[in-house]
Amino acid sequence: MNKQKTNKVYIPSLVIAFILALSGAIFSTQINEISGKILLIVSNLFGWLYLLSVFIFCIFLFVIAISKYGKMTLGGSKSVAQYNILTWLCMLLATGFGVGLVFYGVAEPIFHYIQPPFDDMSPKTTEAARHAMQYSFFNWGIHQWAASAVVGLIIAYFQYNHEKRGLISSTLTTSNSRSNHLYLLDIIAILVTIVGIATSLGLGVIQISGEAQKLTGLADKDMWSIVTLGVIFFSYMISTYSGIDRGIKYLSIICMLSCITLMIYILISGPTLFIINTILLGLADYFQNFIGMSLRTSPFTENSWAGSWTIFYWAWTIAWSPFVGTFIARISRGRTIREFVFGVLFIPLLVACLWIGVMGSSALHLDFYSEAGLSELVLIDSSATIFEMYNSMPHPAILSTATLLLLFFFLVTSIDSATYVVSQISDNGSQSPAIYKRITWGILISITCWILLSFGGLHGLQSASIIAALPLTLIILLMIRNFIKKLKEDY
């Protein structure tokens, strides 16, 4: 019976994922156009739903954490945490952030500095710089983790407190058996994860290989892309085979130590006082305008800033919530609900604001006072902004190399985590999915990435995966309803 359930998810999702990869390559132009138009329509028509839903997720999590239910333990009162608090935080941070924060921690404040969030605000002014930090903190803060935290909390509760499978479909049933059709949700979760992680891997390969080419002076870009993808593939397959406790665990610790070391160096060698003051002011603006930013729409103007940034981010984080949430659930047994919520929401907020505060304010300081040219570069190649910033600092080659290594470790950790999650989902929610499935999914992710890199289609499939956020939003709201009902029964 379990094997039949497994095959109902594993085989169809494997076949469909491969077909999507081929389609993205063969019909890249058409998919780019169609998915781009659909994404624009969905954002325009349902942007309000994304804003409202993610705000509801934040409020729901905070209320649950401080309520009487917050002291309940995932797994029961006798359950013991598998990982200590620092290891647990490193694992969830390395899986959830990755390459995006490394690049956009520098590029996003510059973007908002030259293209302010409001029509009546002049670019490249002190006011624009202040709002650039405020909205960068906001876009990478609590809301960024809300959907994944909700999905992770609910899956963990049903999995450890009610002995159900670690699947989204299991949270929507009232018995231990799954509905005849709910397994389709698990297939969708796998497909969104595979497409999303493959496109992120492709973008990461392009960025790493491009900078490696500049550092070495070797001009063969295609060669560098193949080498980069090959090294990443080899590394995460070894980690995948090693399992969570020996692979993802130690990779996550390496990621966070590298991240902290780089931040401390930039803080000390850069404009230290300016960085500290900018972080404090940015945090004050962020919390003071929390509700206004959360529900910001532009009904009286044609301003498209929120759609291009906040709404896009919220759709992206909702689309990724089955992957990130399932992984967080896997490593969170033994945590209280209160500990889970505060750990998943506020520690990433602190790390994100520190990273953006240190890296982003350093970039703003250079562009504002020294005219370093970052404003012009970010519109041409946003991923190169951080490396251009290094050119104005001591030991730029060492900083660039360290950043490339950090990107590499983040990519390997994220893909390893994604491989584990899709293997778990395709293995009927098993916490120790079959090794052949982990290897198969790991190979498929790299093949998908290679196809898309060779023939195009990265951005088209990325947009297509984000469109899945619309039905997932409604599914998460249903999960919340079931969770609240079950909590009241259990308490």
Side-chain angles (χ1 to χ4, degrees):
M1 183 66 176
N2 285 338
K3 186 175 181 180
Q4 291 177 351
K5 287 182 178 180
T6 298
N7 289 337
K8 285 172 71 175
V9 175
Y10 175 61
I11 295 175
S13 54
L14 197 66
V15 173
I16 296 171
F18 190 71
I19 291 173
L20 285 174
L22 286 178
S23 301
I26 297 172
F27 306 106
S28 59
T29 303
Q30 294 89 334
I31 289 179
N32 285 343
E33 292 178 357
I34 294 172
S35 61
K37 290 178 181 178
I38 294 176
L39 181 61
L40 184 62
I41 293 171
V42 169
S43 298
N44 288 336
L45 292 180
F46 299 101
W48 63 270
L49 179 61
Y50 291 142
L51 293 175
L52 184 60
S53 297
V54 174
F55 184 64
I56 289 173
F57 299 160
C58 293
I59 299 301
F60 161 74
L61 288 166
F62 184 73
V63 170
I64 284 291
I66 65 173
S67 72
K68 61 185 179 183
Y69 305 116
K71 61 186 178 182
M72 297 176 70
T73 303
L74 299 173
S77 58
K78 296 182 180 180
S79 183
V80 179
Q82 183 178 356
Y83 304 101
N84 64 56
I85 189 71
L86 289 177
T87 301
W88 178 65
L89 291 172
C90 285
M91 291 172 75
L92 70 90
L93 284 166
T95 300
F97 276 143
V99 177
L101 184 63
V102 175
F103 282 119
Y104 279 92
V106 174
E108 187 167 331
I110 298 295
F111 265 120
H112 303 334
Y113 174 59
I114 61 176
Q115 296 177 353
F118 302 99
D119 292 329
D120 58 352
M121 188 179 297
S122 300
K124 293 190 174 185
T125 60
T126 53
E127 186 182 16
R130 179 173 178 173
H131 279 80
M133 295 305 298
Q134 173 187 324
Y135 271 92
S136 296
F137 284 1
F138 172 69
N139 285 338
W140 287 92
I142 292 174
H143 294 69
Q144 182 74 224
W145 284 81
S148 296
V150 169
V151 172
L153 175 62
I154 296 174
I155 289 178
Y157 186 78
F158 278 90
Q159 183 176 9
Y160 302 132
N161 295 67
H162 288 273
E163 298 183 352
K164 291 194 174 185
R165 297 288 180 176
L167 304 165
I168 287 180
S169 59
S170 297
T171 68
L172 297 174
T173 59
T174 54
S175 64
N176 288 326
S177 61
R178 283 189 279 173
S179 165
N180 289 333
H181 302 292
L182 283 178
Y183 73 92
L184 295 175
L185 297 179
D186 300 327
I187 294 178
I188 292 173
I190 289 175
L191 296 177
V192 171
T193 300
I194 290 293
V195 171
I197 204 69
T199 53
S200 294
L201 172 59
L203 295 172
V205 166
I206 292 171
Q207 292 159 342
I208 292 175
S209 60
E211 187 58 28
Q213 178 188 354
K214 294 177 184 176
L215 286 174
T216 60
L218 300 177
D220 192 344
K221 188 175 181 180
D222 292 336
M223 182 271 292
W224 272 113
S225 295
I226 294 172
V227 170
T228 303
L229 179 59
V231 173
I232 292 173
F233 168 74
F234 182 72
S235 301
Y236 80 72
M237 288 305 293
I238 292 176
S239 180
T240 296
Y241 186 80
S242 301
I244 286 183
D245 291 336
R246 287 183 292 175
I248 298 174
K249 175 182 174 180
Y250 292 111
L251 281 172
S252 300
I253 294 172
I254 291 172
C255 284
M256 297 318 301
L257 287 176
S258 303
C259 186
I260 292 170
T261 303
L262 195 57
M263 273 197 297
I264 292 174
Y265 178 84
I266 299 297
L267 176 63
I268 295 173
S269 62
T272 306
L273 189 60
F274 178 85
I275 291 172
I276 294 172
N277 287 330
T278 302
I279 292 174
L280 293 177
L281 179 62
L283 286 172
D285 289 338
Y286 171 48
F287 287 113
Q288 184 179 356
N289 298 281
F290 185 85
I291 296 177
M293 292 188 293
S294 298
L295 301 175
R296 179 193 165 185
T297 58
S298 304
F300 304 110
T301 68
E302 297 297 323
N303 189 307
S304 61
W305 188 93
S308 301
W309 287 97
T310 303
I311 292 173
F312 179 85
Y313 272 177
W314 287 189
W316 179 250
T317 190
I318 290 170
W320 274 59
S321 61
F323 153 46
V324 180
T326 302
F327 181 77
I328 296 174
R330 168 63 180 83
I331 63 174
S332 297
R333 183 171 194 151
R335 304 287 169 195
T336 65
I337 291 177
R338 184 172 295 128
E339 185 181 12
F340 179 97
V341 172
F342 288 145
V344 176
L345 286 189
F346 292 103
I347 299 302
L349 166 68
L350 176 63
V351 173
C353 289
L354 285 176
W355 177 268
I356 295 170
V358 171
M359 308 300 282
S361 61
S362 297
L364 283 173
H365 185 273
L366 281 171
D367 211 71
F368 191 85
Y369 291 105
S370 305
E371 297 183 1
L374 300 182
S375 299
E376 291 73 24
L377 178 61
V378 77
L379 297 174
I380 301 171
D381 185 3
S382 60
S383 64
T385 311
I386 186 172
F387 299 109
E388 182 63 28
M389 181 184 76
Y390 290 156
N391 289 332
S392 301
M393 296 181 171
H395 312 297
I398 295 175
L399 287 173
S400 296
T401 303
T403 301
L404 287 178
L405 288 173
L406 177 60
L407 291 170
F408 171 80
F409 285 121
F410 266 133
L411 273 175
V412 172
T413 307
S414 295
I415 300 164
D416 189 5
S417 304
T419 301
Y420 174 84
V421 166
V422 294
S423 301
Q424 176 183 337
I425 298 173
S426 64
D427 203 20
N428 199 29
S430 170
Q431 290 210 348
S432 299
I435 188 64
Y436 79 89
K437 290 186 177 178
R438 283 183 270 167
I439 293 173
T440 302
W441 286 117
I443 293 173
L444 181 64
I445 288 171
S446 280
I447 290 176
T448 302
C449 178
W450 176 76
I451 290 173
L452 296 176
L453 281 174
S454 301
F455 301 98
L458 278 175
H459 293 286
L461 281 187
Q462 184 184 43
S463 298
S465 67
I466 297 174
I467 294 169
L470 183 59
L472 281 173
T473 301
L474 303 178
I475 291 168
I476 296 172
L477 291 172
L478 288 175
M479 291 171 65
I480 291 175
R481 185 200 65 177
N482 279 12
F483 177 60
I484 292 174
K485 180 180 178 182
K486 187 61 66 176
L487 267 184
K488 290 180 177 179
E489 292 175 359
D490 295 343
Y491 187 75

